[in-house]
Amino acid sequence: EIINCDKISVKYFPRLAANSLKNSIMGAFPEDINGVVAAVVTGDKSGIDEGTAADLNNAGLSHTVVVSGMHMSFLVSATALMGGKSKRKARIGIPIILFFMAMTGFTPSVVRAGVMSIFALIAPACGREYDGATALAVSLALLLAQNPYSIKSVGLQLSYTSTAGIMLFARRIKLGMCSYLQSRHAWLDRLCRFIAASFATSVSAIILPTPLLVLYFGRIAILSPVANLLSLWALSLIFLLGMIVGIVGVAFPGVAAVLMWVPWFFTKYFLFIAKLIGSVKFSVLYTDNVYVCLWLFSTYVISAMAIFGKLGRKKIYLPVGMVCILLCVALLAQNNRNTGIAVVDVGQGQCIVARTGDLSVVIDCGGNYRAADEAVKQLGNFGLPDIDYLILTHFHADHASGASK
């Protein structure tokens, strides 16, 4: 928290700037979207309401409100628009990247993205070829040298596995898709290549992190690639335009209140996609279902064979069809639980989830801090997106602490 005082040390200027930027954004944008814009620009998710957070989580877009390599790439691209030679871009871009890293608190994902972006600017300025694997390894070495225990950070693990997946698989997937999406019309061919590149990046970014997501959270947002394909173009505009509005708003709040209408449209679109995808039945699968685990394992086997050329173009249809059938079986098995009662593990407390047909009832929701999340997870296992009835036997923390979520 930043409080007013007579003198502020220089080392706190980045955090002061981040706080001023967030306050400017929160004041310029309407209340229904200001928390999302502030999160996209600064990484501070405290202003996002629980409903929006749930939509982002179910759609597989929760990573968009955590400052990462994607946001850093937006920043570097904006810096590159200034033009000039490689050395000039490096002199301008590197200080901006370092200041932005300090603003966002030097989190593992930001450090990884920042170091790789700095390498990408330095390499052409020095007449060298940029090597992503080396930059990735150096950033990890710097993090572990500063704090070896940071390897246990879930955020670090997800950030590095996601980046490694993009580096290893994105090009292969893109080339494979382009071979199927070729067109004689130049404009249609360019559109197909853009779609292939965007989809390949989205898919490759989740190949390696998915086992970690299953291990830590026991869930898979299967529509995440679709949600990313539909929304990431808008997210880049939200980030850049939101930052401009925030900076202008620090000195000229009235001007920022006028400028905000452009990113307002893109933010509304982004939230619409999150709501649309997140509300789809079975947009999230939980690995408590054995058929989901079998489907996931089969998908990885078939994908590995396809990516590394073990399956020809004609031979791929049968295994892909089998994977789709197994997914349908998993969804049907999850949907056909007409009646069920589950006592949810919430530590020292009580939470019971019951289902009969399409009707859901939650009896108490208390215990540890994850009580509400565990109840939602069990509802997902039953194939139910909403709670019809919430019954609280009494209002002690061990029975009602998670009810508000």
Side-chain angles (χ1 to χ4, degrees), residues 11-318:
K11 67 180 181 180
Y12 295 119
F13 279 176
R15 295 304 301 161
L16 180 62
N19 188 67
S20 300
L21 186 62
K22 178 195 171 185
N23 291 337
S24 174
I25 291 172
M26 296 296 284
F29 287 87
E31 291 185 1
D32 58 335
I33 66 168
N34 57 7
V36 174
V37 178
V40 170
V41 175
T42 67
D44 187 340
K45 300 187 291 182
S46 60
I48 299 180
D49 63 85
E50 294 173 355
T52 300
D55 290 337
L56 293 172
N57 205 21
N58 291 337
L61 293 172
S62 55
H63 66 283
T64 60
V65 291
V66 178
V67 176
S68 60
M70 177 178 59
H71 300 77
M72 196 68 72
S73 66
F74 297 156
L75 188 64
V76 172
S77 299
T79 304
L81 293 176
M82 299 178 183
K85 297 182 179 179
S86 299
K87 291 184 178 180
R88 181 173 180 269
K89 291 180 181 178
R91 285 195 297 267
I92 296 174
I94 291 175
I96 293 176
I97 291 172
L98 290 173
F99 188 77
F100 186 73
M101 291 167 65
M103 278 180 56
T104 51
F106 289 106
T107 60
S109 60
V110 171
V111 172
R112 189 269 309 160
V115 171
M116 295 185 71
S117 299
I118 290 172
F119 268 65
L121 290 172
I122 290 178
C126 298
R128 300 300 181 96
E129 183 179 353
Y130 171 70
D131 182 67
T134 300
L136 186 67
V138 169
S139 65
L140 181 59
L142 290 174
L143 279 169
L144 296 182
Q146 190 272 331
N147 179 13
Y149 292 100
S150 63
I151 193 66
K152 299 171 66 176
S153 167
V154 177
L156 181 145
Q157 295 172 24
L158 294 177
S159 176
Y160 277 86
T161 52
S162 178
T163 304
I166 293 173
M167 295 171 61
L168 290 171
F169 307 120
R171 184 173 180 274
R172 291 174 179 267
I173 296 174
K174 176 188 173 183
L175 293 177
M177 291 184 65
C178 287
S179 66
Y180 286 88
L181 299 175
Q182 292 179 350
S183 174
R184 296 180 180 179
H185 302 285
W187 68 270
L188 186 57
D189 187 63
R190 286 194 294 269
L191 177 62
C192 291
R193 289 181 180 276
F194 171 78
I195 293 174
S198 301
F199 189 78
T201 302
S202 299
V203 171
S204 60
I206 63 175
I207 291 177
L208 296 182
T210 295
L212 294 176
L213 293 172
V214 171
L215 176 65
Y216 291 123
F217 306 108
R219 51 180 281 151
I220 311 164
I222 61 173
L223 297 181
S224 175
V226 177
N228 281 273
L229 179 64
L230 293 174
S231 63
L232 290 189
W233 67 270
L235 190 74
S236 62
L237 296 173
I238 295 170
F239 176 79
L240 296 174
L241 297 176
M243 180 169 287
I244 291 173
V245 170
I247 293 172
V248 171
V250 172
F252 307 102
V255 177
V258 175
L259 294 177
M260 72 89 191
W261 288 107
V262 178
W264 173 89
F265 170 79
F266 297 111
T267 307
K268 281 291 189 179
Y269 169 81
F270 173 71
L271 293 177
F272 168 76
I273 294 298
K275 183 74 173 178
L276 179 67
I277 301 296
S279 61
V280 174
K281 193 172 185 179
F282 301 124
S283 61
V284 177
L285 297 181
Y286 296 91
T287 52
D288 292 348
N289 185 337
V290 64
Y291 294 103
V292 172
C293 296
L294 290 175
W295 166 75
L296 184 62
F297 177 76
S298 302
T299 300
Y300 268 85
V301 172
I302 299 303
S303 299
M305 295 176 68
I307 290 174
F308 295 105
K310 300 300 182 182
L311 287 176
R313 185 167 182 172
K314 295 182 179 180
K315 295 180 180 179
I316 197 173
Y317 297 110
L318 179 60

